[in-house]
Amino acid sequence: MLLTGFFTLGVASLALAARTPVKRVAHETRRSLPAGWTPVRRAEPDRVLPLSVGLVQSNLENLEAYLLDVSHPDSPNYSKHWTPEQVADAFRPSQEAVETVHMWLVEDGRIGADRIKLSKSGSWLLANVTVEEAEQLLGTEYYVYEHAEDGREHLACHQKYHVPEHVSKHVDLITPTIHFDTKVQRHGSADTETVQTLGSAKNIGKIASPKVGGVVQNFFTDLEHCDETITLACLRVLYDFVYAPVATHKNTIGVVEYTPETHNATDFDVFFANYSKSQIGERPTFFPIDGGVLTTNGDLGESSLDLQYVLGLIGTKRQEVQLYQVGDPIEGASFNNLLDGLDASYCTSGGGDDPTQDGIYPDNLPGGYDKNDCGTVKPAFIISTSYGYQEADLTPAYMQRQCAEYGKLSLTGVTFVYSSGDAGVGGRQNVCLDDNGNQVVGGKIFSPTFPGGCPYVTSVGATQVVPGHKVTDPESAVFQRFPSGGGFSNVFPRAQFQEKAVANYLEKFPPGYAPNIFNASGRGFPDVSANGLNYSVAINGQFRLVSGTSASAPTFASILSAVNDARLALGKKPVGWINPAIYSSTFNGAFNDITNGSNPNCGTQGFLAKPGWDPVTGLGTPNFPKLLARWLLLP
């Protein structure tokens, strides 16, 4: 019996030895390291990694078509949004993907089947492996990298990793591999340069706040000083926004903040006492995700700005405004943690989030949140976010997977509104790209932001009232304090819905840059814009001026929420993904076209605001009566 067993094992070994080597291909590649990181040593072979293999979702090639079917004004199925169950069923990874990747892990990786598990969402295969096992499996080398600023260490593989060719088509991305702790920017600025130390991506709430200005000495509530201070009244006149909500029991709007972003509840009443007395006592409804809390020592700028103006523009205590507070104070959080909380089918419960970019929950550190929130919050119809990355911070696979999730949630009728950024065509502090794609001070190649380049979000740029002009005069692209983010994605191709608008801009108003300076075939952003300069915000009982696309995004979201209210009152559905509609001929003339200004950076004037869509102010600022009339005519 022993002889037979030995003979059988020997034959199997010979068969393995004789097997034709499997062709492996580079699956993800990073040409350069993020700024500040240097390899200091090879990783210890016995160090354990939480290896997570993201499986390709089914039907993603049809996502845009599915969305256009329910979002384009010419479609007979306009506004016939899907249920979350329909979305989950349509995009669940195939059984072939699960079995192929599982077999690869077992046969090529020599990882025991008992060590591999499928995440609850069915989207990830998970296994704890040693560095040595991961290197053999992925054909790569892991190093420990050190950051020059604070000496923190990070484990990542060198430049790229490989998977078999027949496996590659079933894999989105694998973590941890080439992804790094990245610096996430909160989109805002103000009078003074008060800057906190930048944190890592998974600590998204711990980066530089809107640089809140000094205490306002000359307090204005009239319309004669909107070129100096923006108030609720200024915004209502700018966008002809007069509306009394009627479907408050049906409508929802959400604002996203990341711990330790916080606010003082008493500041709401200071704000309302001056600008909307009937709302004194009103507060947002708190929805924590992954242990989100309002800390006593957090940054007050962003949350105060967003919530005071969304509440104030909605204008009634009867309409709930939801606050999605994401991440505990220890581990922090990312956009993926937000999406986990909103969509159980996306959630990587049991593993899958990238520990270098996302908060990993349960958080076992002292004081950490001991659960993993997976589909715990029903998404509001409109969700406003004023945070972002540079595309160069992340890998294409990471961005593409996340962008697809915005699209999937949009199928259910959700609108995602994101600020476009506050550094023109590049990054903050004049950081742009060099010829190798490195982010460097003084780089000449434009550096677009994410998720502004994702076609399934609506990107909002910033405008301003020109000094000395009336609030009723045409606005300009913002040129004081900061330049509005805009340009063309290096990851996402030009979207079908904007083909004519972008082609018109490039043909009629060619920017005149060398072909390598920006990606003319990329998705153009922003889509729209709104005022973003010198908002009067109550912080610690005093008013300060806060600026940035951080202000523009919640303003646009609030105006759009009124459109949803009117549609819901008539028994119609919310607007959902608005991009195909606003670029269509149905909405011609529904925006205030901005034709003055630019968005400089990278040693250039950036792009120019011109008639029609442009990569500075998009289609323009909202004209509420015209937008409302057009959306009410749609089914």
Side-chain angles (χ1 to χ4, degrees):
M1 192 68 181
L2 286 174
L3 180 61
T4 304
F6 178 81
F7 177 75
T8 303
L9 179 60
V11 171
S13 299
L14 288 171
L16 278 174
R19 186 172 60 184
T20 303
V22 176
K23 181 180 179 181
R24 294 204 289 192
V25 295
H27 191 70
E28 278 195 276
T29 302
R30 182 186 279 281
R31 289 192 300 173
S32 59
L33 293 174
W37 290 103
T38 305
V40 292
R41 65 180 184 275
R42 282 292 304 276
E44 299 82 356
D46 58 352
R47 182 170 177 173
V48 176
L49 306 176
L51 193 73
S52 302
V53 183
L55 303 175
V56 168
Q57 300 168 87
S58 301
N59 292 314
L60 278 184
E61 69 277 9
N62 299 318
L63 176 57
E64 184 177 13
Y66 293 156
L67 276 164
L68 288 171
D69 185 50
V70 298
S71 305
H72 197 286
D74 295 339
S75 171
N77 293 318
Y78 180 81
S79 82
K80 294 180 180 178
H81 302 126
W82 295 21
T83 66
E85 293 74 22
Q86 287 174 313
V87 173
D89 289 343
F91 297 101
R92 183 173 289 110
S94 67
Q95 189 61 31
E96 179 188 2
V98 175
E99 292 175 355
T100 300
V101 174
H102 190 279
M103 185 177 297
W104 166 58
L105 293 173
V106 171
E107 294 188 353
D108 285 18
R110 304 294 191 270
I111 300 169
D114 59 329
R115 295 166 56 192
I116 304 169
K117 62 178 179 178
L118 185 66
S119 69
K120 291 180 181 178
S121 65
S123 297
W124 296 82
L125 280 170
L126 317 162
N128 290 325
V129 302
T130 64
V131 165
E132 183 177 21
E133 288 175 321
E135 289 183 338
Q136 291 175 356
L137 178 71
L138 302 175
T140 189
E141 294 180 344
Y142 276 84
Y143 286 81
V144 175
Y145 294 80
E146 186 176 87
H147 200 276
E149 285 185 5
D150 54 16
R152 70 184 186 275
E153 293 187 343
H154 170 70
L155 184 71
C157 61
H158 179 62
Q159 291 187 336
K160 55 189 173 183
Y161 64 91
H162 304 79
V163 300
E165 192 169 32
H166 73 284
V167 173
S168 182
K169 65 181 181 180
H170 297 297
V171 174
D172 256 352
L173 75 167
I174 300 175
T175 69
T177 49
I178 61 174
H179 315 102
F180 273 77
D181 286 355
T182 57
K183 296 185 176 181
V184 187
Q185 295 297 336
R186 192 180 303 118
H187 293 156
S189 61
D191 286 348
T192 59
E193 296 294 321
T194 310
V195 182
Q196 269 183 281
T197 302
L198 297 176
S200 67
K202 67 179 180 180
N203 292 323
I204 188 170
K206 297 182 180 178
I207 48 78
S209 308
K211 296 179 285 293
V212 178
V215 175
V216 174
Q217 302 298 329
N218 298 314
F219 187 81
F220 303 117
T221 58
D222 57 59
L223 296 173
E224 300 302 315
H225 296 87
C226 294
D227 60 330
E228 300 175 50
T229 302
I230 287 294
T231 63
L232 294 174
C234 295
L235 293 172
R236 293 190 184 281
V237 172
L238 278 170
Y239 307 127
D240 203 0
F241 182 52
V242 179
Y243 184 81
V246 290
T248 54
H249 61 294
K250 296 180 180 179
N251 198 16
T252 52
I253 182 172
V255 176
V256 182
E257 305 294 348
Y258 292 87
T259 307
E261 287 301 305
T262 191
H263 59 262
N264 289 332
T266 54
D267 283 335
F268 290 116
D269 290 339
V270 174
F271 181 82
F272 292 140
N274 285 276
Y275 298 124
S276 185
K277 286 185 170 59
S278 65
Q279 291 184 266
I280 291 175
E282 186 178 3
R283 302 291 184 266
T285 304
F286 188 72
F287 286 81
I289 295 175
D290 283 342
V293 294
L294 296 177
T295 61
T296 57
N297 59 348
D299 188 343
L300 298 170
E302 185 70 60
S303 187
S304 301
L305 164 68
D306 294 346
L307 292 167
Q308 287 173 27
Y309 275 85
V310 171
L311 286 166
L313 287 170
I314 296 298
T316 176
K317 291 182 179 180
R318 293 181 293 113
Q319 172 64 65
E320 179 183 71
V321 173
Q322 300 177 354
L323 166 58
Y324 301 150
Q325 188 76 29
V326 191
D328 70 19
I330 311 300
E331 177 70 3
S334 73
F335 296 155
N336 269 348
N337 294 106
L338 167 70
L339 294 172
D340 286 348
L342 299 178
D343 182 6
S345 72
Y346 179 77
C347 187
T348 53
S349 178
D353 281 328
D354 186 339
T356 66
Q357 321 229 63
D358 310 317
I360 303 302
Y361 292 93
D363 177 5
N364 297 319
L365 293 173
Y369 184 63
D370 61 0
K371 299 182 180 66
N372 180 27
D373 287 344
C374 180
T376 55
V377 174
K378 181 181 179 181
F381 291 139
I382 296 176
I383 298 176
S384 177
T385 305
S386 296
Y387 301 74
Y389 304 85
Q390 301 302 125
E391 283 186 349
D393 291 334
L394 308 169
T395 69
Y398 182 91
M399 289 181 278
Q400 288 160 352
R401 189 176 184 95
Q402 191 175 102
C403 179
E405 176 61 12
Y406 294 123
K408 288 161 57 185
L409 282 168
S410 296
L411 270 175
T412 67
V414 177
T415 308
F416 286 96
V417 174
Y418 270 90
S419 55
S420 69
D422 301 335
V425 293
R428 290 193 178 191
Q429 301 169 338
N430 298 314
V431 173
C432 297
L433 304 179
D434 65 15
D435 291 338
N436 295 317
N438 299 310
Q439 297 185 78
V440 296
V441 175
K444 302 300 182 185
I445 297 174
F446 297 171
S447 178
T449 59
F450 176 80
C454 169
Y456 306 130
V457 308
T458 298
S459 176
V460 186
T463 56
Q464 71 167 84
V465 178
V466 176
H469 286 214
K470 297 178 180 179
V471 69
T472 52
D473 292 335
E475 288 187 275
S476 167
V478 67
F479 58 86
Q480 294 177 288
R481 311 279 192 273
F482 70 99
S484 183
F488 298 84
S489 173
N490 289 326
V491 175
F492 301 97
R494 184 185 304 172
Q496 177 183 335
F497 59 76
Q498 64 173 189
E499 178 63 42
K500 290 183 180 179
V502 175
N504 177 74
Y505 178 83
L506 294 175
E507 291 168 8
K508 289 186 177 180
F509 313 107
Y513 299 117
N516 68 317
I517 297 300
F518 73 96
N519 178 25
S521 64
R523 143 68 159 148
F525 71 98
D527 300 297
V528 296
S529 52
N531 193 288
L533 183 70
N534 290 342
Y535 278 49
S536 179
V537 179
I539 299 176
N540 277 334
Q542 297 176 310
F543 283 91
R544 298 172 184 266
L545 299 184
V546 183
S547 303
T549 53
S550 272
S552 308
T555 293
F556 182 82
S558 301
I559 293 172
L560 193 64
S561 184
V563 174
N564 273 349
D565 180 273
R567 285 181 56 85
L568 291 166
L570 295 177
K572 298 185 178 187
K573 299 293 182 64
V575 293
W577 184 43
I578 67 170
N579 292 2
I582 62 177
Y583 281 88
S584 72
S585 59
T586 303
F587 282 74
N588 284 348
F591 290 87
N592 305 310
D593 197 4
I594 307 299
T595 59
N596 180 68
S598 64
N599 54 357
N601 201 342
C602 308
T604 74
Q605 65 179 349
F607 298 105
L608 301 179
K610 293 291 184 179
W613 178 89
D614 57 67
V616 187
T617 60
L619 295 166
T621 61
N623 183 313
F624 176 68
K626 293 182 179 180
L627 290 172
L628 180 62
R630 284 162 172 76
W631 259 306
L632 288 184
L633 289 174
L634 293 176

